[in-house]
Amino acid sequence: MSGLRPVVLSGPSGAGKSTLLKRLIKDHEGVFGFSVSHTTRNPRPGEKDGKDYHFTTREAMQEDIDEGKFIENIMFSGNMYGTSKAAVEDVLAKNLICILDMDIQGVKKIKETDLNPIYIYIQPPSIEILEKRLRERQTETEESLQKRLEAARTDMELSKEPGMFDVLIINDNIERAYDELKDILNDEIKKVQEAKS
Ligand code: ADP
Ligand code: 5GP
């Protein structure tokens, strides 16, 4: 099926991107496919290699980058993250809507490609609430938490650049944010569902 636009979800760490995208994928079986990124950070409890991320080493990832296997890659909070060409191609080959979760530096690089995604920015209601949610998630050390908050401030400033995102969703209430996300993607979802019926 041609013409299915990928979806980029961006926003600071802790904004709620994975919560929203996991629910979207689960509620729409056979519609969305997640572009599994590579990272050199350690897996969090419950994260599965090949599903949440391809967990890898700096050396192996750098080698693949040098061989041209990545669409984009960045350093975030002391770790490498990146989207391989295969991650996106795997989803597109299944005629699914490809969802990418990436920081704003990645968004800028994707804009230089011909992927033509819908760019959605997930924003926390405030830095204070973001900090509270990150602490409650209990996945970060104090050091990595501070790095994420610092990155969040820059990220939220850069996100205001005109034309950077198609839509901004403020994730104050998860139900409301999810409904907004579904509404935005309704036309794309229908395209897949109609093609399958
Ligand atoms: P991201 O993927 O953007 O880093 P997560 O989806 O992991 O963010 O969300 C960060 C934390 O905040 C998680 O523990 C999640 O359960 C929680 N969370 C997400 N959205 C909300 C919300 N609207 N209200 C309260 N907690 C939320
Ligand atoms: P986390 O460690 O919380 O999973 O992710 C940290 C940050 O890296 C988040 O902002 C997330 O969106 C971003 N990220 C995850 N995968 C990629 C990727 O492939 N490319 C880019 N540019 N950022 C990514």
Side-chain angles (χ1 to χ4, degrees), residues 5-11 17 71-72 83 97-123 158-159 161-169 180-181 184-185 188:
R5 289 181 76 190
V7 177
V8 168
L9 283 192
S10 193
K17 301 177 298 295
I71 299 174
E72 59 82 36
T83 307
I97 301 172
C98 180
I99 304 193
L100 301 103
D101 172 344
M102 63 174 54
D103 85 323
I104 209 154
Q105 305 167 70
V107 168
K108 287 187 178 170
K109 291 184 188 165
I110 292 292
K111 286 191 179 232
E112 292 165 14
T113 71
D114 58 5
L115 270 181
N116 188 30
I118 301 170
Y119 294 97
I120 302 177
Y121 192 72
I122 310 295
Q123 186 171 296
L158 290 174
S159 73
E161 207 172 289
M164 182 73 80
F165 291 94
D166 297 311
V167 196
L168 163 85
I169 298 178
E180 239 181 271
L181 182 62
I184 293 157
L185 300 178
E188 293 300 306

Side-chain angles (χ1 to χ4, degrees), residues 12-20 101 133 137 171-174:
S13 169
K17 301 177 298 295
S18 9
T19 306
L20 288 165
D101 172 344
R133 287 182 188 167
R137 194 172 71 182
N171 179 16
D172 45 4
N173 173 294
I174 194 70

Side-chain angles (χ1 to χ4, degrees), residues 9-14 17-18 34-39 41-42 44 47 52-53 55 61 70 72-77 79-84 100-107 109-110 134 137 139-140 148 151 155:
L9 283 192
S10 193
S13 169
K17 301 177 298 295
S18 9
F34 182 52
S35 159
V36 182
S37 295
H38 282 62
T39 184
R41 81 153 161 75
N42 292 324
R44 294 176 187 145
E47 282 185 332
D52 298 285
Y53 279 107
F55 294 100
M61 189 159 164
F70 277 75
E72 59 82 36
N73 62 278
I74 52 129
M75 283 299 291
F76 178 89
S77 188
N79 284 299
M80 293 166 80
Y81 292 79
T83 307
S84 69
L100 301 103
D101 172 344
M102 63 174 54
D103 85 323
I104 209 154
Q105 305 167 70
V107 168
K109 291 184 188 165
I110 292 292
L134 276 175
R137 194 172 71 182
T139 52
E140 309 307 318
R148 277 159 201 266
D155 197 285

Side-chain angles (χ1 to χ4, degrees), residues 142-170:
E142 187 58 31
E143 191 195 352
S144 79
L145 189 123
Q146 291 305 332
K147 279 191 191 161
R148 277 159 201 266
L149 290 176
E150 194 47 49
R153 288 188 187 94
T154 316
D155 197 285
M156 281 159 71
E157 266 318 300
L158 290 174
S159 73
K160 292 179 193 155
E161 207 172 289
M164 182 73 80
F165 291 94
D166 297 311
V167 196
L168 163 85
I169 298 178
I170 298 178

